[in-house]
Amino acid sequence: METVAPSAVIVAIDGPSGTGKSSTSKAVAAALGLRYLDTGAQYRAITWWMITNGVDTDDPHAVAVAAGKPVIESGTDPAAPTITVDGLDAAGPIRTQEVTSKVSAVSAVPEVRTLITELQRQIAAAAEGGIVVEGRDIGTTVLPDADLKIFLTASAEARAARRNGELKGKEAADLATTREALIKRDAADSGRKTSPLAKADDAVEVDTTELTLDQVIDRVVALVEEKRAAAK
């Protein structure tokens, strides 16, 4: 796919785990000359910091007190996005099953969401030419004025199969276990009081269950181009 000249546009892509958000968002950003931000990585990063520093992630008060301590920085190059915590590369450590199992609890703490949301808004505002921001509450809470909002969905079975394909060795699980974990996280993310996982009223829903990654990317790129054309 050829890279086209960049045009300032903010794209919010939301949806639950396993719908293809990260792969789609990075590819769309690269194709359109935009920056890219994985907000989920930021919540994983602060969760990893909590675990590493002995904070009880099941204690909202303890998490709230420690929330402002770690320094999280995100690189927004879609070809090589980075995430560091206190200057340390956290790209690998934040993807462990332990972090995955605890990130919903940590990200549900209001103080954590307030800090990370402000960080996300600063990054989006500083992105020259525009940015694709992926997460769970981007269109509803973080960037409600985004130029285009997209909500990706997929069946639990398809999402479980994709997630298992991303995991290796001891991190991998059988499909039933992975599916159960995804559904449990969906419930936690959708049910939290602060910035729950939800589709914005003006978001375009794209069901990726029966689509290849390239088809999803093409669909989202087309939506962005339609938005650009309408704005001219």
Side-chain angles (χ1 to χ4, degrees):
M1 186 178 296
E2 295 183 0
T3 300
V4 298
S7 177
V9 62
I10 293 180
V11 182
I13 299 183
D14 291 306
S17 299
T19 54
K21 288 196 309 294
S22 294
S23 298
T24 299
S25 298
K26 281 187 284 189
V28 169
L32 298 175
L34 305 174
R35 307 306 291 178
Y36 160 74
L37 177 62
D38 176 2
T39 64
Q42 295 175 319
Y43 285 107
R44 284 176 170 274
I46 196 169
T47 300
W48 174 67
W49 184 93
M50 296 284 175
I51 294 170
T52 303
N53 287 274
V55 178
D56 183 356
T57 57
D58 291 323
D59 182 347
H61 176 71
V63 170
V65 170
K69 296 181 179 180
V71 176
I72 298 172
E73 296 184 342
S74 298
T76 58
D77 179 354
T82 59
I83 182 81
T84 64
V85 181
D86 295 339
L88 299 175
D89 180 8
I94 66 172
R95 300 297 174 182
T96 64
Q97 191 59 43
E98 181 179 22
V99 171
T100 298
S101 68
K102 298 179 183 299
V103 67
S104 287
V106 172
S107 62
V109 176
E111 289 81 358
V112 170
R113 298 208 73 83
T114 296
L115 286 167
I116 299 298
T117 294
E118 180 55 32
L119 175 60
Q120 293 162 359
R121 288 173 176 164
Q122 290 174 2
I123 293 172
E128 295 185 6
I131 191 170
V132 177
V133 184
E134 63 146 307
R136 286 171 169 73
D137 65 340
I138 310 305
T140 55
T141 301
V142 181
L143 300 170
D145 295 324
D147 298 297
L148 176 64
K149 303 174 187 177
I150 296 169
F151 193 85
L152 299 184
T153 63
S155 69
E157 289 74 19
R159 291 163 52 211
R162 292 168 185 169
R163 180 47 51 88
N164 258 24
E166 298 170 357
L167 302 176
K168 299 178 180 179
K170 65 179 181 180
E171 294 293 343
D174 64 87
L175 282 179
T177 300
T178 302
R179 179 179 181 278
E180 182 178 344
L182 286 174
I183 292 175
K184 182 178 180 180
R185 184 171 181 190
D186 289 349
D189 290 346
S190 300
R192 64 176 176 245
K193 294 181 179 180
T194 306
S195 301
L197 163 66
K199 175 188 172 184
D201 291 338
D202 54 348
V204 177
E205 183 171 325
V206 178
D207 189 333
T208 69
T209 303
E210 301 295 334
L211 301 178
T212 65
L213 177 58
D214 285 343
Q215 288 174 325
V216 177
I217 294 168
D218 288 344
R219 171 64 173 145
V220 175
V221 166
L223 287 169
V224 177
E225 295 292 25
E226 288 172 12
K227 179 62 66 172
R228 282 175 166 172
K232 292 181 179 179

